[in-house]
Amino acid sequence: MTTLAPSDDHPSPPTSDDPLLTEFGYRQELHRSLGRYASFAAGFSFISVLTTVFQFFAVGFGFGGPVFFWTWPAVLVGQLLVAACFAELAARYPLSGAIYQWSSRLATPAFGWFAGWIMVIGQIVVVAAAALALQMVLPPLWSGFQLLGGDPAPTSPSGAANAAVLGVLLLALTTLVNLLDNRVMSLINRVGVTAEIIGAVLIVVLLLTHAERSPGITLHTGSAGQSGLLAALLTGSLTAAYVLIGFDSAGEMSEETRDPRRTSPRTILTALGAAGLLGGLLVLGGILAAPSLTDGRLATDGLSYVLTSSLGDGIGRALLADVAIAIAVATLAIQTAACRMLFSMARDGVLPGSRQLSRVSPRTGMPTGPALVVGALAALLLLLNFASPDAFLAIGTTCIVLLYLAYAMVTGPMLLRRLRGQYAGAGADGTDEAGRPLFSLGRWGLPVNALALLYGLVMTVNLAWPRATVYDPAGGHWYFQWFTVLFLAGTVAAGAGYRRWRQPRGTSAAEQVTKAPSPAA
């Protein structure tokens, strides 16, 4: 556990007889009521292929053309490598605030703090980006959802402004749910994920049975307008990179999951695997079933255009309603994950207002302070959409880069420990409380870990690269072109400033904290 020197914000010391959390110096405050499917749903609903594919299909196709489909399996393989490393850690550290907890124990408390800080800021941005996705489905579902202006396209001024309004309304709803009992939250999540899986399978089947062309079209790059295959793949990979994140949420919910050492590793991998398969088929089906690949509609309206044009207005609208449900549940799940990260850091006394943020309602088992903070900050981010339609892409890219960087701040220290012989892949004794073997990569741990880190760093640079044609296509908004880099720099600077302000005079950062045992060999 990471513990600051005594302060007014530091929560009271743990007093628990729960053996799982006592091992790490914490008390059981969150209600441990989630089963295996609920844990799977936490990871799957964060990824939410219906939300994210519908939201970013147009972006991927617009920059990559049909060939952007091949970025999907490439990103999926890379993320599976990362997920395998996370699954191993989830078995050893079944704690809320997974990225923060894992990085702190693999590296130093200060390094772990920055990983957690970057992760929670990224999660808040993801909440805002997910809420914006309603604009892709509600106006096509019914024109009455276009509350502002007449053009529903997210790239238009009226569409961008309307997306912000719909997003704020959704955030108010998800914040309310995050103040209720975690069993209510879990029920909504499970029902929503079930509806999303059924809807995704149905959409895939209908799209593939209404195909207008053969899969060979995915080898075509001409319609993308890019200078070669590599450029098309690098920019088109934004879609897959945005979709296939958040699988670690199953680990975020570990303190509310029954038998987490066994459940969380498996649900991290199955959530990513299931989402990766369904999402890839959705992308392929959309390309094959689109009425036209050259009329520009796919690059602006995305899959919503394909559903209503190819499957008929009635079926298309019914499926869009299912997508809207998936978006709402995804926003809820992402906000919940961000709340758990804030709670985990706050109970260690390392955030502003830690006392308030670490409070858990004994009745509901929910940390109420983080829900209000995450909802309010995400809503403020949505106001950027009133400034320019380009904010949509800037917000989406920023959240991906922040999460990818936070992931690398776990896989990096993990690899260093392996290389130094200080990481025991099988854990302290290799078994859980019931005597069953913990999830372990065994002899594959080193190569998988190395490839996971390499992939994460390459993708972080690729996504953060300030391409004017991508982030400021109309010109005149240099701050959107550099938005991701500036936001990341500001996040790190704000974190460093806060830590320096909180550090007592004459005390080094290393002296402020004590760290729980690392997974030494």
Side-chain angles (χ1 to χ4, degrees), residues 20 44 81 97 122 147 172 176 245 252-253 286 288 335 368 512 514:
L20 188 58
F44 188 91
L81 295 172
L147 306 174
L176 176 62
I245 55 174
E252 291 283 4
M253 305 299 290
L288 300 186
Q335 185 175 6
T368 56
Q512 289 188 69
T514 57

Side-chain angles (χ1 to χ4, degrees), residues 19-44:
L20 188 58
L21 289 184
T22 300
E23 174 185 348
F24 300 102
Y26 296 121
R27 63 174 181 265
Q28 182 70 52
E29 295 181 278
L30 305 175
H31 292 178
R32 196 178 291 281
S33 60
L34 308 184
R36 181 174 299 179
Y37 188 69
S39 177
F40 165 82
F44 188 91

